[in-house]
Amino acid sequence: MLKDQAMSVVFDGNPMKAMQTSHAHTQQNALSTQELSQEIKSFISGVDTAQGRKLSVREHARCALRLLRSVPACRSAVLEHLRGVYDEHVSAFFHNLETEADPTAAVGCNLEDIIQEVHSVLSEFIHLNPRAWAPLVSAWAVDLLGKLSSKHAGRRAAPHSSSLNELLQLWMSCAATRSLMEAYSQCLAAMLAWCPDACVDALLDTSVQHSPHFDWVVAHIGSAFPGTIISRVLACGLKDYCSHGSMDQNLGPVGGDKCNRVPKIGSVVGILGHLAAHHSESIRRELLRMFQESLSPSGPLSPSSSSSSWESSPQLRRAAVPFLLQLAALSPTLLGAVSAELVELLRPPVLLQLQALLQGLPREELDNMLGLAVHLISQSPSGGARVLRFLADTATPASVIISGPTPSPHEGVREACDRLLQMLLLHLHKLVYNRSEGSESSPHHSASSQAQRVIPFLEELQAHVGELCAETLRLERKRHLWLHQLLCLLSVYGGPSVATEALCQLLTQARNPEELALAWQLHTPLSTCLPGLIPAAVTRCVAQIHTHTLGPRQLRQLLINLAAAIQSQDEERRGAAGIQSSMVIQVGSAVSGHLHDFCPLLLHGDPAVSYAAVRLLSSSPLPRTCSPAHLLLLSRAAVTHFFLVLRRRGEGGKVGRDGEQAGEAVNCSVLLLSRLAAYSPLTLKSVLQQLVEGSLHKGNADLFGGQIADMAGDPPLSPSLSPDLGASLLDVNCRFGTTVNFSGSVWSVFHAGVIGKGLKVRTAKLLPDPAGVIQNVQTLLAVTIQCCSSSALNGSVNGSRHQLSDLDEPPPINAEAAKVVAVTLVENICSDVANGELLWPPEEHARTTVERDIHIRRCFEAHPVLFPLLQVVAAGRPALCYCSVVLRGLLATLLAHWEASREALATDSPWHLQASCLLVSCMGEGQLLPPVLENVHEAFPYLTPFEVRLLLLAVWEYVRGNGPMPQKFVFSSEKGLFCRDFSRDGDVARYVAPIHSVLHKNIDRLGHLCWRFQL
């Protein structure tokens, strides 16, 4: 017994406690010295000395347990023997699984009670004396678990090592491994307070030797003690990292056994990787804590850290940052856990501490660390945008104002971040272009190489293309160059989709030519590897327009930028060559293919967007081929926009920015209409028809001085101005009865009331601005003439911008275009008339068409713009012939008016006088009258109504006798016009006789006009 006590004293160094423990064992196992000697002999030989037979496995194991209880010095031998017992139980367990027998049968049933006894003894020892037994049992249990896991990993019943859940479930169903796991957990729980490193060191060493078959043990222990395992695994890994001299040869002693050991960092990565599935937050918190405490120059920040922890060692603190970098490089999971949060910690004070920590490193090691940091950034699966913003903000020179609360960094820190950002761009450049070359050189391994070519940093930045473009367009010194280079690499890496989005974002967000130039600078390097980029970008812009993802300001800016790109063709034609030449052509070609998509923007509710759209469409080249439906859609939108900008010009005034923009919008609209009319006969007819119809529409009549009249010729009454008589039939009859006396009659007369509301009340007419009306009429005539003139037909297709003020004389009017205007006028003034009514009946026949003639006159009264349009038609001879029915109806009403007029002079009827003069003038211009009759209107202001009627009657008779037929006109190649030979119409003298009679009667006032009427 004294020998046993001495052994216990040597074992745990606590004599009192050893005596108490030995005394307790002696009472329970009262064995004499002779019995102990026999037990030792039986344990060593494996034979029962009393009976002389070989001990069974169960008997031998129980003999070992009795020795373990009585002779602590035998602990090593006993534990070594128990390894075989556990191994035999595990072998039997797998054999039963593979033979599909009952796992609890045969040997397993005989040994399971032994396993339970061993577990009870060890658990009792650990509980009574943890400092003595916990380190020994924990090392024995974890080593045995590792060997058993590796030995039986290849068994048919064992799942693959990657199936961690199945593997854990299998091993925990085995009594032997479950007993070892529980013993190790008890040891770890007992050692946490005073020596956790020894237990975790054993776990790490075993994980290095037996991974990945040992991973299930790590997963189970980590789940049971997540906080302890994570912190102690990191601490042990850091110490092992230093012991291998990874950072500094003087960080710690390097012995011979240390040099031959395998570094534990791989095991650390494996353990943390297993725990990350359920304890990622704890891992992230512990990694960040290690980083923060490594930078603090004072004592440990954690109150729970002991004097033996790594925080108290300056050498370990210096190695913490390289150790964390190495961990992140080996585990993408750990990198993703801390990358985003780490950026938030890197404030200026922390950056200064980090600089102070690393400035003493040799240049080679510092370069290696920077290279590793660049690799980690490029492989970071999350937080890439935040890392990039941090690097750009920190590396930006102090002279540049940085948006946000970030203060100006220290110069040394700024230079370090500048260098890191340059190295990152260079590294990404190599990865991107080597990636593309590798894919071309090995087409047969595309599936496997594609996974290797993934760059997580650029993968994440693909979702932030818009933000990158916005930051690039800020044009800050150095900053926008870095971001522009990164944007180019991202476009090459992401392929056509990312490159298209980047170019589309730049086109949408650029606000001036300097910013727009960045889009062309991006296109230049991408055009060699990504053909068709600009058409794809324009198509994407059109898709954004259709989906309404762009606000009015962004939409306006996009259209202006596209227009600016197309308009730069004029500079190139003047000799300004550059990198934009091919790009401008591609932009123009791409936009011309989507004119039907841009044309609805002409009618956008925002005037700025509408102006930008007409500016783009007026400068864009028209496609060589286009469907009729798209052409009609475009022409309809362009004509509607024309009348809208006329109204906006009148409402916005003529001064200020709005007035200038409205005037420019009108010019662009005129140019667009003229170019559309010159594109094809279909668009010419469509534009002219809609211009005429739009000018006569009731919504646009006020623009040209017109009035909206009802069928009776009177302006409609406003409901608010109509009087409410509030009539009562009872009141009316009472008043009616008091005024008329029917007392002597048998009849009773009652008042039946007033139908309607009485007489119509004339409302005050709002007269339009005369100057605005004149300007609008001139603009309408200008665009009509440009559409009808031959110069517009020949020149506008190529983008020429002729203005009427620049022309010395009006261009000739195309006869076919004028015919379109004439037919449209007839259809809108009197739609029930057939086009074949060209001949004029006798003057008396006008009585049969009185109602139609009155309607024609009212149209001319309500729409003063009809006379200028008739003048345009008259200039395109012989188009005025097709307006014969309109001219005849208007002339008939004028004859009726002058015949019934009792005024002293014709000037007393100003409108009828003006209408008569304009009518005769138009007929003369259209050569429906000979030269001697085309000037009779010059005498109208000096005559009486009866005399005016005589002259107009002569005009009627001539046109009736010489019908206005287009066949009477012959094309003159010298003049380029159709002309009429009046010599074929017979003698004109009989039509001139009334004129001479009126001249002779008023010779005192018309003497100066006599020469105008000579035959």
Side-chain angles (χ1 to χ4, degrees), residues 888-942:
R888 185 172 70 240
L890 179 59
L891 184 55
T893 57
L894 291 176
L895 287 171
H897 170 77
W898 295 122
E899 182 180 9
S901 177
R902 295 298 178 262
E903 303 293 342
L905 293 174
T907 53
D908 294 331
S909 300
W911 186 88
H912 296 84
L913 176 61
Q914 182 185 17
S916 301
C917 294
L918 292 175
L919 177 60
V920 175
S921 175
C922 289
M923 296 176 68
E925 177 67 23
Q927 291 192 350
L928 300 186
L929 299 177
V932 69
L933 292 178
E934 67 179 2
N935 300 318
V936 295
H937 64 282
E938 298 179 8
F940 289 170
Y942 307 99

Coordinates of all heavy atoms in Angstrom, one line a residue, residues 888-942:
R888 N -64.6 76.6 -106.2 CA -65.9 76.9 -106.7 C -66.9 77.2 -105.6 O -67.7 78.2 -105.6 CB -66.4 75.7 -107.5 CG -67.7 75.9 -108.2 CD -68.1 74.8 -109.1 NE -68.4 73.6 -108.4 CZ -67.7 72.4 -108.5 NH1 -66.7 72.4 -109.4 NH2 -68.1 71.4 -107.9
G889 N -66.9 76.4 -104.5 CA -67.8 76.7 -103.4 C -67.5 78.0 -102.7 O -68.4 78.8 -102.4
L890 N -66.2 78.4 -102.5 CA -65.8 79.6 -101.9 C -66.2 80.8 -102.8 O -66.7 81.8 -102.3 CB -64.3 79.6 -101.5 CG -63.8 80.9 -100.9 CD1 -64.5 81.2 -99.6 CD2 -62.3 80.8 -100.7
L891 N -65.9 80.7 -104.1 CA -66.3 81.7 -105.0 C -67.8 82.0 -105.1 O -68.2 83.1 -105.2 CB -65.7 81.4 -106.4 CG -65.8 82.5 -107.5 CD1 -65.3 83.9 -107.0 CD2 -65.2 82.1 -108.8
A892 N -68.5 80.9 -105.0 CA -70.0 81.0 -105.1 C -70.5 81.8 -103.9 O -71.4 82.7 -104.0 CB -70.6 79.6 -105.2
T893 N -70.0 81.5 -102.7 CA -70.5 82.2 -101.5 C -70.0 83.7 -101.5 O -70.8 84.6 -101.1 CB -69.9 81.6 -100.2 OG1 -68.5 81.5 -100.3 CG2 -70.5 80.2 -100.1
L894 N -68.9 84.0 -102.1 CA -68.4 85.4 -102.2 C -69.3 86.1 -103.2 O -69.6 87.3 -103.0 CB -66.9 85.4 -102.7 CG -65.9 84.9 -101.6 CD1 -64.5 84.9 -102.2 CD2 -66.0 85.8 -100.4
L895 N -69.6 85.5 -104.3 CA -70.5 86.1 -105.3 C -71.9 86.4 -104.7 O -72.5 87.5 -104.9 CB -70.7 85.2 -106.5 CG -69.5 85.1 -107.5 CD1 -69.8 84.0 -108.5 CD2 -69.3 86.5 -108.2
A896 N -72.4 85.5 -103.9 CA -73.7 85.7 -103.2 C -73.6 86.9 -102.2 O -74.5 87.7 -102.1 CB -74.1 84.4 -102.5
H897 N -72.5 86.9 -101.5 CA -72.3 88.0 -100.6 C -72.2 89.4 -101.2 O -72.9 90.3 -100.8 CB -71.0 87.8 -99.7 CG -70.7 89.0 -98.9 ND1 -71.3 89.3 -97.7 CD2 -69.7 90.0 -99.1 CE1 -70.8 90.4 -97.2 NE2 -69.8 90.8 -98.0
W898 N -71.4 89.5 -102.3 CA -71.3 90.8 -102.9 C -72.6 91.2 -103.6 O -72.9 92.4 -103.7 CB -70.1 90.8 -103.9 CG -68.8 90.6 -103.3 CD1 -67.9 89.6 -103.6 CD2 -68.1 91.4 -102.3 NE1 -66.7 89.7 -102.8 CE2 -66.9 90.9 -102.0 CE3 -68.5 92.6 -101.7 CZ2 -66.0 91.4 -101.1 CZ3 -67.6 93.2 -100.8 CH2 -66.4 92.6 -100.5
E899 N -73.3 90.2 -104.1 CA -74.6 90.6 -104.7 C -75.6 91.1 -103.7 O -76.4 92.0 -104.0 CB -75.1 89.3 -105.4 CG -76.5 89.6 -106.1 CD -77.0 88.3 -106.8 OE1 -76.4 87.2 -106.5 OE2 -78.0 88.4 -107.5
A900 N -75.6 90.6 -102.5 CA -76.5 91.0 -101.5 C -76.0 92.2 -100.7 O -76.8 92.7 -99.9 CB -76.8 89.8 -100.6
S901 N -74.8 92.5 -100.8 CA -74.2 93.6 -100.0 C -74.8 94.9 -100.4 O -74.9 95.2 -101.6 CB -72.7 93.6 -100.1 OG -72.1 94.6 -99.3
R902 N -75.1 95.8 -99.4 CA -75.5 97.1 -99.6 C -74.6 98.2 -99.1 O -74.9 99.3 -98.8 CB -76.9 97.3 -99.0 CG -78.0 96.5 -99.6 CD -78.2 96.8 -101.1 NE -79.2 96.0 -101.7 CZ -79.0 94.9 -102.4 NH1 -77.7 94.5 -102.6 NH2 -80.0 94.2 -103.0
E903 N -73.3 97.7 -98.9 CA -72.3 98.6 -98.4 C -71.9 99.5 -99.5 O -72.0 99.3 -100.7 CB -71.1 97.8 -97.9 CG -71.5 96.8 -96.8 CD -71.9 97.5 -95.5 OE1 -71.6 98.7 -95.3 OE2 -72.5 96.8 -94.7
A904 N -71.3 100.7 -99.1 CA -70.9 101.7 -100.1 C -69.6 101.2 -100.8 O -69.5 101.4 -102.0 CB -70.7 103.0 -99.4
L905 N -68.7 100.6 -100.1 CA -67.5 100.2 -100.7 C -67.2 98.7 -100.3 O -67.7 98.2 -99.3 CB -66.3 101.1 -100.2 CG -66.3 102.5 -100.7 CD1 -65.2 103.3 -100.1 CD2 -66.2 102.6 -102.2
A906 N -66.3 98.1 -101.0 CA -66.0 96.7 -100.7 C -65.2 96.6 -99.4 O -65.2 95.6 -98.7 CB -65.2 96.1 -101.9
T907 N -64.5 97.7 -99.1 CA -63.7 97.7 -97.9 C -64.5 97.6 -96.6 O -64.0 97.3 -95.5 CB -62.8 98.9 -97.8 OG1 -63.6 100.1 -98.0 CG2 -61.7 98.9 -98.9
D908 N -65.8 97.8 -96.7 CA -66.7 97.7 -95.6 C -66.9 96.2 -95.2 O -67.5 96.0 -94.1 CB -68.0 98.4 -95.8 CG -67.9 99.9 -96.0 OD1 -66.9 100.4 -95.4 OD2 -68.6 100.5 -96.7
S909 N -66.6 95.3 -96.0 CA -66.6 93.8 -95.7 C -65.2 93.3 -95.7 O -64.7 92.7 -96.8 CB -67.5 93.1 -96.7 OG -68.8 93.6 -96.7
P910 N -64.4 93.5 -94.7 CA -63.0 93.2 -94.7 C -62.6 91.8 -95.0 O -61.8 91.5 -95.8 CB -62.4 93.7 -93.4 CG -63.6 93.7 -92.5 CD -64.8 94.0 -93.4
W911 N -63.4 90.8 -94.3 CA -63.0 89.4 -94.5 C -63.3 89.0 -95.9 O -62.5 88.3 -96.6 CB -63.7 88.5 -93.5 CG -63.3 87.1 -93.6 CD1 -62.2 86.6 -92.9 CD2 -63.8 86.1 -94.5 NE1 -62.1 85.3 -93.3 CE2 -63.0 84.9 -94.3 CE3 -64.8 86.1 -95.4 CZ2 -63.3 83.7 -94.9 CZ3 -65.1 84.9 -96.1 CH2 -64.3 83.7 -95.9
H912 N -64.5 89.4 -96.4 CA -64.9 88.9 -97.8 C -63.9 89.6 -98.8 O -63.6 88.9 -99.9 CB -66.3 89.3 -98.1 CG -67.3 88.6 -97.2 ND1 -67.6 89.0 -95.9 CD2 -68.0 87.4 -97.4 CE1 -68.5 88.2 -95.4 NE2 -68.8 87.2 -96.2
L913 N -63.5 90.8 -98.6 CA -62.6 91.4 -99.5 C -61.3 90.7 -99.5 O -60.7 90.4 -100.6 CB -62.4 92.9 -99.1 CG -61.4 93.7 -99.9 CD1 -61.7 93.7 -101.4 CD2 -61.2 95.1 -99.4
Q914 N -60.7 90.4 -98.3 CA -59.5 89.6 -98.2 C -59.6 88.3 -98.8 O -58.7 87.8 -99.6 CB -59.0 89.5 -96.8 CG -57.7 88.8 -96.6 CD -57.4 88.6 -95.1 OE1 -58.3 88.7 -94.3 NE2 -56.1 88.3 -94.8
A915 N -60.7 87.6 -98.6 CA -60.9 86.2 -99.2 C -61.0 86.3 -100.7 O -60.4 85.4 -101.4 CB -62.2 85.6 -98.6
S916 N -61.6 87.3 -101.2 CA -61.7 87.5 -102.7 C -60.4 87.7 -103.3 O -60.0 87.1 -104.3 CB -62.7 88.6 -103.0 OG -64.0 88.4 -102.5
C917 N -59.6 88.6 -102.7 CA -58.2 88.9 -103.2 C -57.4 87.6 -103.1 O -56.6 87.3 -104.1 CB -57.6 90.0 -102.4 SG -58.4 91.6 -102.6
L918 N -57.4 86.9 -102.0 CA -56.5 85.7 -101.9 C -56.9 84.6 -102.8 O -56.1 83.9 -103.4 CB -56.5 85.2 -100.4 CG -55.9 86.1 -99.4 CD1 -56.1 85.6 -98.0 CD2 -54.4 86.2 -99.6
L919 N -58.3 84.5 -103.0 CA -58.7 83.4 -103.9 C -58.3 83.7 -105.3 O -57.8 82.8 -106.0 CB -60.3 83.4 -103.8 CG -61.0 82.4 -104.8 CD1 -60.5 80.9 -104.4 CD2 -62.5 82.5 -104.7
V920 N -58.4 84.9 -105.8 CA -58.0 85.2 -107.2 C -56.5 85.1 -107.3 O -56.0 84.6 -108.3 CB -58.5 86.6 -107.6 CG1 -58.0 87.0 -108.9 CG2 -60.0 86.6 -107.6
S921 N -55.8 85.5 -106.3 CA -54.3 85.4 -106.3 C -53.9 83.9 -106.4 O -53.0 83.6 -107.2 CB -53.7 86.0 -105.1 OG -52.4 85.9 -105.0
C922 N -54.5 83.1 -105.6 CA -54.1 81.6 -105.7 C -54.5 81.0 -107.0 O -53.7 80.3 -107.6 CB -54.9 80.9 -104.6 SG -54.3 81.2 -102.9
M923 N -55.6 81.4 -107.6 CA -56.0 80.9 -108.9 C -55.0 81.4 -110.0 O -54.7 80.6 -110.9 CB -57.4 81.2 -109.2 CG -58.5 80.6 -108.3 SD -60.2 81.1 -108.6 CE -60.4 80.4 -110.1
G924 N -54.6 82.6 -109.8 CA -53.6 83.1 -110.8 C -52.3 82.4 -110.7 O -51.6 82.1 -111.7
E925 N -51.8 82.2 -109.4 CA -50.6 81.5 -109.2 C -50.6 80.1 -109.7 O -49.6 79.6 -110.2 CB -50.2 81.5 -107.7 CG -49.0 80.8 -107.3 CD -47.7 81.5 -107.8 OE1 -47.8 82.7 -108.1 OE2 -46.7 80.8 -108.0
G926 N -51.7 79.5 -109.5 CA -51.9 78.1 -110.0 C -52.2 78.0 -111.5 O -52.5 76.9 -112.0
Q927 N -52.2 79.2 -112.2 CA -52.5 79.3 -113.7 C -53.8 78.7 -114.0 O -54.0 78.1 -115.1 CB -51.4 78.6 -114.5 CG -50.0 79.3 -114.4 CD -49.0 78.8 -115.4 OE1 -49.2 77.8 -116.0 NE2 -47.9 79.6 -115.5
L928 N -54.8 78.9 -113.1 CA -56.2 78.6 -113.5 C -56.8 79.8 -114.2 O -57.8 79.7 -114.9 CB -57.0 78.3 -112.3 CG -56.6 77.1 -111.5 CD1 -57.6 76.8 -110.4 CD2 -56.4 75.8 -112.3
L929 N -56.2 81.0 -114.2 CA -56.6 82.2 -114.8 C -55.4 82.7 -115.7 O -54.2 82.5 -115.4 CB -56.9 83.3 -113.8 CG -58.1 83.0 -112.8 CD1 -58.2 84.1 -111.8 CD2 -59.4 82.7 -113.6
P930 N -55.8 83.3 -116.8 CA -54.7 83.9 -117.7 C -54.1 85.1 -117.0 O -54.6 85.7 -116.0 CB -55.5 84.3 -119.0 CG -56.9 84.5 -118.5 CD -57.1 83.5 -117.4
P931 N -53.0 85.6 -117.5 CA -52.3 86.8 -116.9 C -53.2 88.0 -116.8 O -53.1 88.7 -115.8 CB -51.1 87.0 -117.8 CG -50.8 85.7 -118.4 CD -52.1 85.0 -118.6
V932 N -54.1 88.2 -117.8 CA -54.9 89.4 -117.7 C -56.0 89.4 -116.6 O -56.4 90.4 -116.2 CB -55.6 89.6 -119.1 CG1 -56.6 88.5 -119.3 CG2 -56.2 91.0 -119.2
L933 N -56.3 88.1 -116.2 CA -57.3 88.0 -115.1 C -56.7 87.8 -113.7 O -57.4 87.9 -112.7 CB -58.3 86.9 -115.4 CG -59.2 87.1 -116.7 CD1 -60.1 85.8 -116.9 CD2 -60.1 88.3 -116.4
E934 N -55.5 87.3 -113.7 CA -54.9 87.0 -112.4 C -54.6 88.2 -111.5 O -54.3 88.0 -110.3 CB -53.6 86.2 -112.6 CG -52.5 86.9 -113.2 CD -51.3 86.1 -113.4 OE1 -51.3 84.9 -113.0 OE2 -50.2 86.7 -113.8
N935 N -54.7 89.4 -112.1 CA -54.4 90.6 -111.4 C -55.6 91.4 -111.0 O -55.5 92.5 -110.5 CB -53.4 91.5 -112.1 CG -52.1 90.8 -112.5 OD1 -51.6 90.1 -111.6 ND2 -51.6 91.0 -113.7
V936 N -56.8 90.9 -111.3 CA -58.0 91.7 -111.0 C -58.2 92.0 -109.5 O -58.9 93.0 -109.2 CB -59.3 91.0 -111.6 CG1 -59.2 90.9 -113.1 CG2 -59.4 89.6 -111.0
H937 N -57.7 91.2 -108.7 CA -57.9 91.4 -107.3 C -57.2 92.7 -106.8 O -57.5 93.2 -105.7 CB -57.3 90.2 -106.4 CG -55.9 90.0 -106.6 ND1 -55.3 89.5 -107.7 CD2 -54.8 90.4 -105.8 CE1 -54.0 89.4 -107.6 NE2 -53.7 90.0 -106.4
E938 N -56.3 93.2 -107.6 CA -55.6 94.5 -107.2 C -56.6 95.6 -107.2 O -56.4 96.6 -106.5 CB -54.4 94.7 -108.1 CG -53.4 93.6 -108.0 CD -52.2 94.0 -108.9 OE1 -52.2 95.1 -109.5 OE2 -51.3 93.1 -109.1
A939 N -57.7 95.5 -108.0 CA -58.6 96.6 -108.0 C -59.8 96.5 -107.0 O -60.5 97.4 -106.8 CB -59.2 96.7 -109.4
F940 N -59.9 95.3 -106.3 CA -61.0 95.1 -105.4 C -61.1 96.2 -104.3 O -62.2 96.7 -104.0 CB -60.9 93.7 -104.8 CG -61.3 92.6 -105.8 CD1 -61.0 91.3 -105.4 CD2 -61.8 92.9 -107.0 CE1 -61.3 90.3 -106.3 CE2 -62.1 91.9 -107.9 CZ -61.8 90.6 -107.6
P941 N -60.1 96.6 -103.7 CA -60.2 97.6 -102.6 C -60.8 98.9 -103.0 O -61.3 99.7 -102.2 CB -58.8 97.7 -102.0 CG -58.1 96.5 -102.5 CD -58.7 96.1 -103.8
Y942 N -60.8 99.2 -104.3 CA -61.2 100.5 -104.8 C -62.6 100.5 -105.4 O -63.1 101.5 -105.9 CB -60.3 101.0 -105.9 CG -58.8 101.1 -105.5 CD1 -58.0 100.0 -105.9 CD2 -58.3 102.1 -104.8 CE1 -56.6 100.0 -105.5 CE2 -57.0 102.1 -104.4 CZ -56.1 101.1 -104.7 OH -54.8 101.1 -104.4

